[in-house]
Amino acid sequence: MNVDDYRKAYEAELAADAATVGATEAADSAIGHDPSDRIPALLATLGDANQSLLARIAALKAISAIRFLGVVFAPHRVAFLNILRQIAQPGTDPQLYERALAILAAEKDPDTQQRLRSGLKDPQAALVSPATALRLLSFDDHAGLADLALDVFHKAVDLATKEAALRVLATDAKSQDLFAKLLQDKSQPRSLRALSVTGLNYLNPQKFAEIAQNIVKDHGDYEDVRASALGALANTPLHHVIRDNAKFLDEIKTLGAQSPLENLRAAAGRFLTRS
Amino acid sequence: MSANGAVALPDPFATVDRLRTSHDRDALAALLAEQSPVYSGRGTGETEHLRGYILASFEVLGLPASALPFVVEELEIGLNPYAVAAAAKAVRGAPDPPEAITALLLDAIDRIRSRDDVVSFDRSIRPDGGASTTALMELFRTLAWLGPGAREAEAPLRAMLERRPAGFSAQVRAEIERALAAVSRRGMPTTAHCCAGQAAPIAFKPAATPPLGFDIKATELQDQDGAVFSFGDFFLGRPGVLTFFYTRCMNPNKCSLTISKLARLQQRLAREGQKDRVGIAAISYDPAFDLPCRLRAYGEGRGMAFDDRTKLLRTTGAFEPFQRWLDLGVGYGASTVNQHRLDTILLDQSANPVSTIARVQWEEDDIVNALNALH
């Protein structure tokens, strides 16, 4: 997703949130001093398809806050999850539907995970966009998602989906060669290369350090990719080893003092000041 | 395909159904082993669901002795409501449940309270399709099934009912009341004996290792500082304590606790002047991900003080030789471990395994006493 699209989506979300303020305040006042007394009413509102969308979202927000009170909420947990499962069905307003899916995915609900997976394999069965499905499935890092994410990455044509797939693959040790390849390929979109900086540095800091040093020194590469690589080198566990390379250190000092590229200059400064 | 290259079976639930129909309890129990191919390539959630489905079979088929350790382990440290509920159901198939089961059920209730969920062991019912039981309800039903044999649960059950604010839903409270009535029945014989309520002593078993066709002592390892050496280099010449873990383990009662206990064992041996006489190490199940920096951070965070006798390790190649050598209970999903049992091995001065503790957490005394017997 590019910055403009993200800004528009975020502004729309803020506007929706503002509209729920009144309903949220009503829900908050309903909570009162003893939340346990009010949870059944909030659950009833959340589960009632005849209630307004704003009231249901407000109830969900209030319940989400009460969930932090573990002992108070425990008796209502099963009822809450059952209501979410009813909401997470086609036909519910997407604003509520996606919130319910997100909570169920965070709970590692097997049926939700299975439906999200099915949607990635078969677009006709998709509950949400592939990027959202990958994000929700990645809440469980033991979901065994790597093979599916790799398949999605190769088949996807839109950047947002490819980015989401790379975020999932960043915890899969087998994917380090893919990240190395993307990072060194100047024809790849810069956002994918930036994600490859993170992914490779996480999975194989040594290999990353070798590749990243070459990228930083390559004046023909993009400034943001070079700055990302240098920024990551400042924080890699091998930082002290890289600093021992006097020739590379001199190049970074030159970049920090003379580069006309602001991001790269700043990254060089961070690298040099890291103790 | 799993992270260790094994290929998954297409429909393992159908396999379980066939074995259920033919009442083949031993074959079902054999499927519980973590390294069974039925789990290969699957995520942890799916794996736990399948294991739970197998365990629940024993309520009707009867619980064979070979499956009991799996039931005990699930009740002792399990966090998945489905799998814990299945273990509770399996107990109801036991002809003579062990005395410690009551305490394990109470522990499981405490652990599952904040994680409860609906469970269905009927594959024709969808999760949103009206399943009417939960993990907690199954745990209380098993206490009720035990009846006066679970009399030690009477006071804890009363305390649960009196707790304010109420910690349980109305449905669960009804099950607690039924369980309380059942365990409190007077005039009924109980099977209590001298060890009632006490955990069973840790059992060390002699280690048996198969012929491998290669020298495990030459297997290359890397420690938390990046140093590379062989298994023999580290363990030869002194008794050793060897265990296994991985840094992405999600259950705090498993790997995290194991490494914390290793740290306490190290401190105790140091206090007793035995620090240099014993090698202590844990090897990662997940060597491709558990790089030296992760091993160091994980160990330090749990109190390990690394030195030349105490290390966290990973294989520089595949982990599989260790799995084969020690028949370790570990299975792999697409990217990482999907389940594992607890395995701790005592090694003699020749780096040969002399005894093992499997599926239960040990106490420092257990290990120190066993080490003293080796010296």
Side-chain angles (χ1 to χ4, degrees):
Chain A
M1 186 182 283
N2 67 39
V3 174
D4 287 340
D5 288 344
Y6 182 78
R7 183 183 293 121
K8 280 179 192 167
Y10 188 60
E11 284 171 354
E13 195 176 320
L14 286 178
D17 275 356
T20 63
V21 166
T24 302
E25 284 172 352
D28 285 346
S29 66
I31 294 168
H33 295 295
D34 187 353
S36 60
D37 289 346
R38 305 301 179 196
I39 296 172
L42 291 167
L43 288 173
T45 302
L46 176 64
D48 184 353
N50 293 319
Q51 293 281 341
S52 73
L53 176 64
L54 293 183
R56 296 179 79 188
I57 290 176
L60 180 55
K61 286 184 174 180
I63 293 167
S64 299
I66 296 172
R67 288 183 75 196
F68 285 101
L69 307 173
V71 178
V72 171
F73 188 73
H76 306 281
R77 176 184 152 83
V78 170
F80 176 56
L81 294 176
N82 280 340
I83 290 170
L84 293 180
R85 289 180 180 119
Q86 288 161 15
I87 290 172
Q89 300 295 334
T92 308
D93 186 280
Q95 283 189 64
L96 190 56
Y97 173 82
E98 288 199 17
R99 286 170 203 253
L101 273 180
I103 296 170
L104 289 169
E107 289 286 338
K108 302 175 186 176
D109 179 65
D111 187 56
T112 300
Q113 290 183 334
Q114 186 52 48
R115 291 165 70 207
L116 290 167
R117 278 174 183 277
S118 298
L120 286 170
K121 292 173 186 166
D122 173 14
Q124 300 292 326
L127 307 170
V128 289
S129 71
T132 302
L134 285 165
R135 183 174 60 80
L136 299 183
L137 283 166
S138 72
F139 293 166
D140 178 4
D141 72 353
H142 281 61
L145 194 56
D147 293 348
L148 181 56
L150 185 62
D151 190 48
V152 170
F153 176 80
H154 286 308
K155 289 179 179 166
V157 289
D158 69 296
L159 198 52
T161 303
K162 281 183 176 289
E163 289 169 3
L166 286 188
R167 288 191 184 96
V168 171
L169 293 170
T171 59
D172 174 45
K174 298 193 304 291
S175 297
Q176 52 186 275
D177 290 342
L178 171 67
F179 285 120
K181 188 177 161 195
L182 292 172
L183 183 53
Q184 295 174 93
D185 182 354
K186 291 182 191 174
S187 71
Q188 290 292 334
R190 280 138 68 188
S191 66
L192 299 189
R193 295 183 68 203
L195 284 167
S196 300
V197 166
T198 312
L200 188 59
N201 190 26
Y202 189 61
L203 296 174
N204 191 337
Q206 197 157 6
K207 193 171 188 176
F208 168 75
E210 292 164 17
I211 294 172
Q213 288 180 69
N214 290 331
I215 289 174
V216 170
K217 291 186 289 188
D218 183 353
H219 292 260
D221 209 331
Y222 296 100
E223 180 199 7
D224 52 351
V225 176
R226 292 173 71 198
S228 295
L230 186 50
L233 284 175
N235 296 301
T236 179
L238 301 169
H239 178 258
H240 60 288
V241 179
I242 299 165
R243 280 190 70 115
D244 287 345
N245 179 343
K247 194 176 169 194
F248 183 70
L249 197 59
D250 285 344
E251 292 208 36
I252 302 306
K253 285 176 181 171
T254 305
L255 279 177
Q258 298 173 10
S259 175
L261 304 169
E262 191 180 340
N263 288 338
L264 199 52
R265 237 182 13 253
R270 284 194 293 276
F271 181 89
L272 293 169
T273 54
R274 164 90 194 274
S275 58
Chain B
M1 185 180 285
S2 73
N4 69 344
V7 177
L9 293 177
D11 186 0
F13 287 93
T15 303
V16 175
D17 286 340
R18 275 197 301 278
L19 294 172
R20 276 182 176 185
T21 304
S22 59
H23 291 252
D24 195 342
R25 297 186 311 166
D26 292 334
L28 280 168
L31 289 182
L32 291 170
E34 289 81 356
Q35 60 271 42
S36 167
V38 294
Y39 307 112
S40 287
R42 304 184 189 283
T44 296
E46 194 181 1
T47 297
E48 288 176 327
H49 201 76
L50 180 55
R51 272 166 74 88
Y53 193 66
I54 295 167
L55 282 173
S57 308
F58 299 125
E59 180 187 14
V60 175
L61 299 181
L63 181 65
S66 56
L68 182 60
F70 296 89
V71 171
V72 168
E73 179 187 38
E74 204 59 64
L75 293 175
E76 188 174 30
I77 56 179
L79 294 174
N80 181 300
Y82 187 87
V84 172
K89 285 169 76 71
V91 171
R92 306 203 289 261
D96 184 18
E99 213 49 54
I101 280 291
T102 302
L104 290 170
L105 287 164
L106 290 169
D107 280 351
I109 287 165
D110 201 41
R111 218 169 41 252
I112 292 296
R113 266 181 58 204
S114 59
R115 304 167 189 271
D116 198 19
D117 202 353
V118 289
V119 292
S120 169
F121 296 92
D122 179 347
R123 290 177 68 206
S124 64
I125 297 177
R126 285 176 45 83
D128 57 353
S132 58
T133 187
T134 74
L136 276 179
M137 290 166 73
E138 292 301 328
L139 287 161
F140 287 115
R141 280 175 191 166
T142 301
L143 282 175
W145 177 84
L146 288 167
R151 188 156 287 159
E152 66 177 283
E154 187 175 342
L157 289 172
R158 285 193 198 286
M160 288 177 203
L161 287 171
E162 288 164 7
R163 189 177 296 156
R164 292 293 177 273
F168 301 97
S169 68
Q171 275 183 308
V172 174
R173 284 176 63 85
E175 293 293 345
I176 300 174
E177 284 165 1
R178 273 192 279 274
L180 181 58
V183 304
S184 313
R185 280 202 304 270
R186 303 296 171 191
M188 299 287 288
T190 72
T191 55
H193 55 71
C194 63
C195 302
Q198 294 178 9
I202 295 294
F204 283 89
K205 291 184 180 170
T209 53
L212 289 175
F214 60 88
D215 182 10
I216 193 75
K217 296 181 183 72
T219 304
E220 196 174 82
L221 299 168
Q222 185 176 40
D223 73 8
Q224 70 289 331
D225 295 321
V228 175
F229 44 81
S230 71
F231 180 77
D233 287 342
F234 182 75
F235 277 111
L236 281 172
R238 68 189 69 81
V241 180
L242 172 64
T243 189
F244 298 88
F245 78 111
Y246 72 118
T247 63
R248 287 193 279 183
C249 181
M250 297 181 298
N251 188 329
N253 299 318
K254 293 181 114 177
C255 294
S256 183
L257 184 56
T258 296
I259 301 303
S260 299
K261 285 189 167 189
L262 273 192
R264 290 206 295 271
L265 177 66
Q266 178 194 24
Q267 290 156 12
R268 168 143 174 204
L269 290 173
R271 282 198 306 275
E272 295 178 0
Q274 294 197 64
K275 176 174 165 288
D276 294 332
R277 296 177 62 195
V278 179
I280 298 176
I283 301 178
S284 171
Y285 293 122
D286 189 11
F289 185 81
D290 283 340
L291 303 176
C293 57
R294 292 194 180 103
L295 297 177
R296 172 165 279 283
Y298 195 81
E300 285 179 344
R302 286 156 183 79
M304 287 193 89
F306 296 115
D307 56 31
D308 60 354
R309 297 284 182 270
T310 310
K311 293 181 182 295
L312 292 186
L313 304 164
R314 69 179 196 128
T315 52
T316 55
F319 178 77
E320 189 257 348
F322 281 99
Q323 186 170 11
R324 277 177 55 202
W325 182 44
L326 297 166
D327 192 27
L328 299 173
V330 58
Y332 290 89
S335 329
T336 186
V337 173
N338 59 15
Q339 59 176 347
H340 70 91
R341 76 177 176 221
L342 302 170
D343 275 302
T344 300
I345 322 291
L346 295 186
L347 303 167
D348 64 16
Q349 297 190 9
S350 302
N352 292 318
V354 288
S355 57
T356 68
I357 311 169
R359 223 171 277 290
V360 290
Q361 278 288 4
W362 39 266
E363 299 299 329
E364 291 152 48
D365 281 347
D366 303 319
I367 300 288
V368 170
N369 293 338
L371 285 170
N372 286 336
L374 282 179
H375 282 308

